[in-house]
Amino acid sequence: MSADIAKKGEAMAGKLYMCATPIGNLEDITFRVVRMLKEVDLIAAEDTRHSVKLLNHFDIHTPMTSYHEYNKMSKGRKFVDKLKQGMNIALITDAGTPGISDPGEELVALAWEAGIEVSVLPGAVACVTALTLSGLPTRRFSFEAFLPSAKKQRKKVIEELKEESRTIVLYEAPHRLYRTLKELRKVLGGTRKLIVCREMTKRYETVFRTTLAEACVHYQKEIPKGEYVLVLEGKSRKNSREKQEIWKAMTLEQQMVYYINQGFDQKKAMKQVAKNRCCTKREVYQQLIVHSKDDTL
């Protein structure tokens, strides 16, 4: 028995092990994870039907039970009781590191609150794999996982992403990919660089370097298949500063004319000018009145 597993009698409580599994290629599992899955008393898996294939491949015969979004609270409490009694439990997800965009985070919180020791056995994680593949800045990034399904909350998150200067990483299912790309293009604009990673580490891995606009055209024609990770360019601070300097050099009237020439009506033009000048629409309106009076003197 390894040093990772406490000998029976040395401690009353067991230990929770967060074990990373491959995101595609089975060779990406670590020796330590395979050993741990054989040594623990119980494996908690997101989808037992999926995970049994992994266990069979590595000749692992440890008892397995389900732990997913719909039973996470009831099962989580049962796991904590078993851990308190001295049982060692390994948590695995369908692919990647448990606790990242899955209910594993709740189990970890329950374990710590109960005084149970938690250990992570690192390995593959889809968001980091896609980020390093992208060629976009990696020093700072925002991981959003799957966008909310609720319309109001989803709209709010996408609006926030519009101002995000860090590289953005998103997960998306094939049946929602085109819709998500259209929503992102509408709010963030079509020129943002986008790297679409599909079926990473698998036989048919593809990395599609494109823009939001081009991706919308592409997936309108091609039916998406497989699991996707989207790596999106953040808002350029340099471009934002340059635009601010341009607005400062223009008079209020010149800004109004600019937007009206772009097809904005007067009300919407004033709203954009107010945004550029960091003031209210009412203040823009009052300044326009004052300037027009001055011109008639």
Side-chain angles (χ1 to χ4, degrees):
M1 183 170 287
S2 71
D4 288 302
I5 296 285
K7 291 180 180 179
K8 300 294 182 182
E10 286 186 355
M12 287 297 294
K15 194 171 178 180
L16 175 63
Y17 297 91
M18 308 288 282
C19 297
T21 55
I23 60 176
N25 193 316
L26 293 181
E27 292 180 8
D28 292 335
I29 200 167
T30 68
F31 292 123
R32 186 181 173 208
V33 167
V34 171
R35 174 171 53 75
M36 186 60 61
L37 293 178
K38 291 180 178 180
E39 291 182 359
V40 293
D41 302 300
L42 180 68
I43 296 172
E46 185 177 7
D47 185 341
T48 55
R49 295 167 300 179
H50 175 87
S51 295
V52 72
K53 299 174 185 177
L54 176 74
L55 301 190
N56 288 341
H57 182 83
F58 290 103
D59 196 30
I60 298 169
H61 304 287
T62 304
M64 179 170 55
T65 187
S66 66
Y67 175 76
H68 47 70
E69 186 65 31
Y70 303 104
N71 69 1
K72 61 185 180 182
M73 296 313 296
S74 59
K75 269 292 185 69
R77 287 189 287 269
K78 290 179 181 178
F79 290 153
V80 168
D81 289 339
K82 291 179 182 295
L83 287 160
K84 285 181 177 179
Q85 293 166 16
M87 182 177 282
N88 292 299
I89 299 175
L91 178 66
I92 60 175
T93 185
D94 286 350
T97 300
I100 302 295
S101 189
D102 82 352
E105 61 180 316
E106 278 91 348
L107 183 57
V108 172
L110 286 173
W112 283 124
E113 287 171 11
I116 303 296
E117 189 177 354
V118 180
S119 181
V120 174
L121 280 64
V125 57
C127 61
V128 175
T129 304
L131 181 66
T132 53
L133 268 172
S134 71
L136 292 177
T138 60
R139 189 178 70 85
R140 299 172 67 246
F141 67 95
S142 171
F143 174 55
E144 288 293 334
F146 289 95
L147 291 172
S149 55
K151 190 174 181 180
K152 189 175 181 180
Q153 190 179 2
R154 184 182 180 91
K155 184 179 179 181
K156 181 182 177 183
V157 171
I158 292 176
E159 285 291 340
E160 290 173 352
L161 292 180
K162 182 180 179 180
E163 300 302 318
E164 178 59 73
S165 61
R166 296 171 294 181
T167 300
I168 302 162
V169 184
L170 300 164
Y171 289 163
E172 195 49 277
H175 65 280
R176 291 193 301 262
L177 179 66
Y178 180 57
R179 171 197 167 194
T180 296
L181 290 172
K182 286 197 300 181
E183 290 174 330
L184 290 169
R185 180 189 63 184
K186 183 178 179 180
V187 177
L188 278 63
T191 60
R192 290 278 189 108
K193 291 179 183 177
L194 173 69
I195 288 77
V196 181
C197 299
R198 172 183 170 273
E199 298 290 274
M200 289 184 299
T201 77
K202 299 180 183 179
R203 182 179 180 183
Y204 296 107
E205 174 183 280
T206 57
V207 180
F208 180 28
R209 299 180 61 81
T210 181
T211 64
L212 275 173
E214 291 170 351
C216 286
V217 173
H218 177 79
Y219 288 107
Q220 187 176 23
K221 301 174 183 177
E222 182 174 307
I223 299 174
K225 295 179 181 178
E227 297 301 318
Y228 291 83
V229 182
L230 309 178
V231 187
L232 188 60
E233 177 185 33
K235 181 180 180 181
S236 171
R237 290 184 179 275
K238 180 181 177 182
N239 291 343
S240 180
R241 288 195 297 269
E242 288 175 351
K243 284 181 180 178
Q244 287 298 321
E245 292 302 319
I246 291 172
W247 297 135
K248 287 178 183 179
M250 296 170 69
T251 66
L252 187 147
E253 289 79 5
Q254 287 173 331
Q255 288 186 34
M256 284 292 295
V257 170
Y258 170 82
Y259 284 115
I260 289 172
N261 288 340
Q262 296 294 314
F264 287 64
D265 60 32
Q266 192 171 33
K267 187 176 180 180
K268 288 185 178 179
M270 281 194 290
K271 184 178 180 180
Q272 285 300 122
V273 172
K275 185 177 179 180
N276 297 340
R277 300 171 77 90
C278 299
C279 63
T280 65
K281 190 168 67 175
R282 181 178 178 83
E283 288 174 321
V284 171
Y285 178 70
Q286 290 173 336
Q287 288 179 52
L288 286 171
I289 293 175
V290 170
H291 291 180
S292 63
K293 286 181 178 178
D294 290 342
D295 290 340
T296 60
L297 294 177

